[in-house]
Amino acid sequence: GLAWSSDAEFIVFSSTRGALPGLWKISAAGGTPEPLAGVGADAWAPAISRAGNVLAYTHQNENVNIWRVPGRDPAGPKTPLKLISSPRQQTSAVYSPDGKRIAFSSDRTGTFEIWVSDSDGSHPLQLTSFGGPITGTPHWSPDGSLIVFDSRPGGHSAIFVISASGGEPHQLTEGTFDDIVPNWSHDGQHIYFCSSRTAGRQIWKMPAGGGPVSYT
């Protein structure tokens, strides 16, 4: 949403350019947008009164948690269990190959980042700190040592890999297109991902350590 100021000198609009939805202001003549002071995150759909002295907007905060449902183990839980939770969102949960850990995406610190926890949801550890637009879709390497994911620190989505124990993420792809939703081949030698680098979205692959990208 967007709204004109009463004197038509500037426009207030909602955007996720600061990672979480918020209200921004820009001159009607153009320029660099600035965050609107005093509003905070999770703000949408602004409206300005005709007198220009009142701003109304929608505040919306989604709470999404990760649950575990009963499996075939007769000794396991009998009802759905809230496994990983916070006042914000946690998504894209995936077990490590040995079943001892879980990787997931969460914005509990203000921006979506990659996290890992023990299989029971305990000891959550933040792996990435991009502090920007959405980072997500984690997948473990077959040996459980690495996690591949997508993120958008430069505007376009790229593929990254990071050690499952922490450290600096390594960017594998770059360009003026979007590479998203990566996953490993069964032998761990290649990474497959969806990309808009040609007309429409297609599946591409590259060596697990980065390198030439080929169309599949």
Side-chain angles (χ1 to χ4, degrees):
L2 56 84
W4 285 90
S5 63
S6 58
D7 58 8
E9 291 294 322
F10 62 89
I11 297 170
V12 173
F13 63 99
S14 55
S15 174
T16 57
R17 66 185 57 223
L20 295 177
L23 296 186
W24 293 70
K25 180 174 72 171
I26 188 170
S27 168
T32 302
E34 299 177 356
L36 199 63
V39 175
D42 303 312
W44 302 84
I48 298 175
S49 65
R50 289 185 178 182
N53 61 340
V54 177
L55 169 71
Y57 60 92
T58 298
H59 181 271
Q60 176 180 324
N61 179 17
E62 292 186 70
N63 179 222
V64 180
N65 298 307
I66 294 169
W67 293 68
R68 184 174 64 194
V69 296
R72 296 181 178 180
D73 182 4
K78 300 299 186 293
T79 58
L81 171 69
K82 185 185 291 187
L83 197 63
I84 301 173
S85 64
S86 81
R88 301 199 64 85
Q89 299 184 65
Q90 13 284 315
T91 66
S92 306
V94 58
Y95 278 104
S96 60
D98 62 7
K100 295 181 178 180
R101 303 178 78 193
I102 296 173
F104 61 99
S105 176
S106 176
D107 66 345
R108 61 179 66 191
T109 55
T111 59
F112 275 99
E113 306 288 354
I114 301 301
W115 290 68
V116 292
S117 72
D118 292 345
S119 62
D120 61 358
S122 64
H123 304 108
L125 171 67
Q126 182 178 341
L127 293 185
T128 66
S129 298
F130 286 102
I134 294 176
T135 296
T137 66
H139 284 96
W140 298 82
S141 60
D143 65 2
S145 66
L146 300 170
I147 295 174
V148 69
F149 61 94
D150 58 41
S151 188
R152 299 150 179 81
H156 291 280
S157 181
I159 306 303
F160 293 79
V161 68
I162 191 170
S163 169
S165 59
E168 289 296 319
H170 175 55
Q171 185 170 344
L172 299 181
T173 67
E174 58 183 22
T176 58
F177 31 75
D178 290 316
D179 298 329
I180 59 174
V181 197
N183 207 342
W184 305 81
S185 60
H186 287 299
D187 60 7
Q189 297 300 305
H190 292 88
I191 291 174
Y192 288 78
F193 60 96
C194 179
S195 178
S196 63
R197 60 185 63 211
T198 56
R201 294 189 182 274
Q202 306 293 338
I203 303 300
W204 294 71
K205 74 173 183 178
M206 63 182 168
V213 173
S214 58
Y215 174 64
T216 62

